[in-house]
Amino acid sequence: MNTFKRKALFAAVVAGLGTAAGTAEAVYMSPNRTGQALVFPYYTVQSANGNAFNTYISVVNTTTFAKAVKVRFLEGKTSAEVLDFNLFLSPNDVWVGVVTPSSTAAGAPGHLSTPDHSCTRPLIPTAGIDFRNFEYDVAGSDDALPGTGLDRTREGYVEMLEMGTLSGATAAAVTHNSAGVPANCGVVQAAGFITVPAGQLNAPNGGLMGTGTLINVQSGLNGDYKADALDGWRDSIDYTDSGFVTPRLDDAAPPISLVVRSGDIDPVTGASTLITAYRSTFVADPALVTATAGARAVASLFMHTAVMNEYVLDNATGSLTDWVITQPLKNRFVTSTVAAVPYTALLTSGGACETIAFTFFDREEQGAVAAGSDFSPLPPGALANSLCWESTVLSIRNDDAHTAVGGSTASAVLGSVNLTNVSVKNGFQNGWAALSFTGVNAGPAGGMPAAAAQRVSLGTDTGGAAVVAGPAAATFFGLPVTGFAFRTFSNGTLTCGSASCQGNYGGLFAHSYRTTITP
């Protein structure tokens, strides 16, 4: 099959959508990994084997425009905000921050510091700033159900949202001079700077990219990832002062998404004619006020029926594997009284636990299905596996003694306490697995509806025109998820020249997915 022809046909799909649906904005997951909104799937300062992780976060402004960006750290149980501030990026600027434990005390909060000169509002102190529990330490609130301690701030995920591009005196104040420092951060840090002066803030234009690094120096582990980048997120300014919980990721405007249902290769001909792009318009869920049209539009970009990745539990190298499963919009769909589709479970003190199936194979195609925190096959009456938190770590184990690290309370690699333990078959040391969502509202009997969807499919693999259909209703199945697998290898003490050194390694790999949209 001609690769160039396939790419040309895919371009025709997108062009067909533009012709059929007009030129209105639509939020989409950027294949270039640059955009207006970034989602960093995980940060952590938890300890594994007594050694703490640190998380390094960076964001790059790849454009020639100065920008105002909302930076928000969210803890992993209910996505409650633990720190937010406004970041002002100079053209072609990079901002970096590091999250560490605030102290060596058990349960100490996360702590953000930065060596960077880019302007922030408020100013981040030289010594850094501790994460806070103010948002979830509210008696009787849903966010307080899993507990109100600062230990919750030790792991979670990050959003960075472009509020607009800057011009005039504000842009000049935050732009770096020849010495590599902004001209005057005092302008945006002044008490009276509640909003950007009229005429000096314009619509966001994208071009942000980001990376995260999970590093455990004492254990000799390091894993890096690229942030998910959403483009076309907003066609208008949405600026708030620091300390406001808005804008949020669900504030897409207009509430329209562009999603490609890939993987649909004709099983007979091998042609890509079944690949379809959906330009979908959403309305709010009447069952829950926070499940807005924008929340549904952004959720559709992350909707998958299955998460797939590899695992390694080799005895010879003491290997371990954790999967990070983050659901960046779950708190917009779930409360203690309502679970709006695609979610099924209500929030309790133990989380909002969505059931999953976990099917695994070794490298020689032998496989089985695991369920519950036990080995397969399960004893009668065992509970199904579930993901309970908004950022959950799935810790994969087998019957080998070395995989018992962390036990039932912490994941083996990342030391996460927001965990689900899952056991593969006795002796299975390596292979791959698929995690699928089995909750009623995530599965075939449920699904998240779009009010209307313009659909464009390739329709041909011989150079003909793409097929345009709709507008009509469409349904997205599964749950909105993102994340990665983190695996480790240990080769003990090695000889490094005339000295000894640790032979520990880590690797981080983004998940693969299955996506189901009908029709």
Side-chain angles (χ1 to χ4, degrees), residues 28-42:
Y28 64 96
M29 193 70 70
S30 171
N32 293 329
R33 305 199 78 98
T34 64
Q36 297 173 329
L38 301 179
V39 176
F40 299 75
Y42 193 61

Side-chain angles (χ1 to χ4, degrees), residues 9 111 118 163 178-179 187 189 199 291 344 389 443 463:
L9 284 167
H111 176 91
S118 298
M163 297 183 286
S178 58
V187 170
Q189 292 166 352
T344 304
W389 306 115

